[in-house]
Amino acid sequence: MASSTRQGGIQQLLAAEQEAQHIVNNARNARMARLKQAKEEAEKEVAEFRAHMEAEFQKKLAASSGDSGANVKRLEQETASKILQLKEQSSSISRDVGNMLLRHVTTVKN
């Protein structure tokens, strides 16, 4: 009788061990599936973020290239006005500068 009780106890332990092994395997499989799902979700988010940032970059690039033409025109206008201003200033004082140079060149100091 004691031997049959031991056999029954051993059988229960083996059954409990097998059940525990199934539980551990199921948990491991569920964890692996969740990790795979999390990885796929992360890759999807990264792809969406990358697409969003690329779209913003392209938008800024298009806006800046459009502005560069306006900037070039503005700079050309500013340059032309400054050149005109310098020509006017030089023509107004060129006679005075010529007279001053002539006076210094023809004046003899002892």
Side-chain angles (χ1 to χ4, degrees), residues 22-93:
H22 286 297
I23 291 171
V24 168
N25 286 338
N26 288 339
R28 186 175 293 140
N29 290 337
R31 186 177 125 225
M32 294 302 284
R34 178 63 188 128
L35 285 174
K36 183 178 178 182
Q37 180 185 3
K39 181 179 178 184
E40 290 171 355
E41 289 174 3
E43 287 174 351
K44 181 182 174 185
E45 285 183 28
V46 166
E48 288 174 0
F49 180 74
R50 182 172 291 158
H52 174 72
M53 294 305 289
E54 181 68 24
E56 279 188 27
F57 174 73
Q58 293 298 330
K59 189 187 317 178
K60 286 181 181 180
L61 187 63
S64 69
S65 67
D67 288 344
S68 68
N71 286 338
V72 168
K73 287 181 183 179
R74 181 182 55 83
L75 288 173
E76 286 175 351
Q77 289 173 349
E78 287 178 9
T79 303
S81 67
K82 292 215 183 227
I83 289 172
L84 182 62
Q85 182 183 17
L86 288 172
K87 284 182 179 180
E88 288 174 357
Q89 287 177 350
S90 67
S91 67
S92 68
I93 62 170

Side-chain angles (χ1 to χ4, degrees), residues 8-18:
I10 292 174
Q11 291 299 323
Q12 280 183 330
L13 284 174
L14 290 174
E17 183 179 349
Q18 284 181 346

